[in-house]
Amino acid sequence: MTLPPVITSAGLSRSFGTVNAVNKLDLAIDRGELYGLVGPDGAGKTTTMRLLAGILEPTAGDARVAGFSLREDPEGIKGQIGYMSQRFGLYEDLTVLENILFYADLYEVPKRERADRIKRLLSFSGLDPFQKRLAGALSGGMKQKLGLACALVHTPEVLLLDEPTNGVDPVSRRDFWRILYDLLREGVTIFLSTSYLDEAERCTRIGLIHRGGIILEGEPLQVRSSLNVPMIELWPDRVREAGALARDTAGVKDVTVYGDRLHIALEQGTAAASVIDSLSRSGIAVLDHRAILPSLEDVFIASVEKRT
């Protein structure tokens, strides 16, 4: 028997004055998914998270999380989720262990279950050696791990994470994602927001959000394939000059600079050789090139441009 989605929304909207932060958002997220809500600052990610967590009331529409309606029973939602905001509410003058115990009290975790559960969370997050350290003395990555441990102390069915690795160093980001995959294997449904497109590639499914609405949704590879335009990657010797010249070349639809290389979207029927020849005639040497799938950034930019 197919289980119903654990998170759904229909026409979910939230306005602040004249600003539509979330605009008629429709979602259906299955149990055991790691769903990434992907978009830049101001796209509506945080407002969506706060709505699904039962913190904000919708202006229109409704959502159901773990069987509870946002409009009818937002308090019911709060008992089924672990929610980690961008600035998670850790108490910096308490130790790691004291913070976890505080959240255990907050969620009314039975006393008989606490010792084993907290021991597992400390081990799971790699915080066991630091349990007596003040939270204020932790690194950014360790604070995020502590925030995650606090959000998991009541064994939630759904985990809502709002840009959980924002500003965290690469090693801590890697460790954090290892923990998320472990949770996924245990059947926890994870809904996270991110502006890091490399992180979006790690999700089982993503939704690209723009102006409060989903503009494209699917598995990362499926989304990357959806642009349906030929694309090449070039390594020219003078990348900025090459990018400006490529934009004016016949058959080129779009050019994006990525460090020392260019991603060039071509019109159907345009050969890579014609672009390379055009650059060569202008004195630009192309050191190497290859055909590629569009990156998520390429797809996002193209999708937004269609709507402007």
Side-chain angles (χ1 to χ4, degrees), residues 21-149:
V22 173
N23 188 20
K24 299 178 181 177
L25 185 70
D26 295 332
L27 291 169
I29 298 169
D30 291 329
R31 294 177 187 276
E33 273 201 278
L34 198 171
Y35 186 100
L37 190 65
V38 185
D41 292 345
K45 301 188 302 295
T46 294
T47 303
T48 299
M49 286 285 174
R50 291 171 65 82
L51 284 166
L52 294 178
I55 296 170
L56 288 176
E57 292 184 6
T59 306
D62 195 11
R64 298 188 74 85
V65 180
F68 292 89
S69 165
L70 174 57
R71 282 194 174 275
E72 297 172 6
D73 193 1
E75 292 304 313
I77 289 176
K78 293 174 185 177
Q80 305 302 313
I81 65 169
Y83 171 58
M84 189 173 156
S85 63
Q86 289 184 45
R87 291 181 176 83
F88 194 76
L90 296 174
Y91 292 87
E92 299 205 342
D93 55 347
L94 297 180
T95 66
V96 166
L97 180 58
E98 287 168 342
N99 267 284
I100 297 174
L101 286 169
F102 173 78
Y103 278 91
D105 285 337
L106 197 65
Y107 285 113
E108 299 180 342
V109 176
K111 295 256 172 117
R112 65 183 179 276
E113 298 177 13
R114 291 189 184 189
D116 286 345
R117 194 175 296 185
I118 290 173
K119 181 180 178 181
R120 181 175 179 274
L121 286 172
L122 288 168
S123 175
F124 191 64
S125 60
L127 290 170
D128 191 44
F130 310 101
Q131 58 181 288
K132 293 183 180 179
R133 184 175 296 185
L134 292 177
L138 298 175
S139 67
M142 290 172 70
K143 283 181 180 178
Q144 293 300 82
K145 292 175 189 176
L146 177 55
L148 184 60

Side-chain angles (χ1 to χ4, degrees), residues 2-12 24-37 48 52 62-66 158 189-191 204-207 214 216-219:
T2 303
L3 294 172
V6 71
I7 299 174
T8 60
S9 71
L12 186 64
K24 299 178 181 177
L25 185 70
D26 295 332
L27 291 169
I29 298 169
D30 291 329
R31 294 177 187 276
E33 273 201 278
L34 198 171
Y35 186 100
L37 190 65
T48 299
L52 294 178
D62 195 11
R64 298 188 74 85
V65 180
V158 177
T189 302
I190 303 171
F191 182 87
T204 56
R205 200 157 56 97
I206 60 172
I214 300 292
L216 202 56
E217 187 179 51
E219 297 176 3

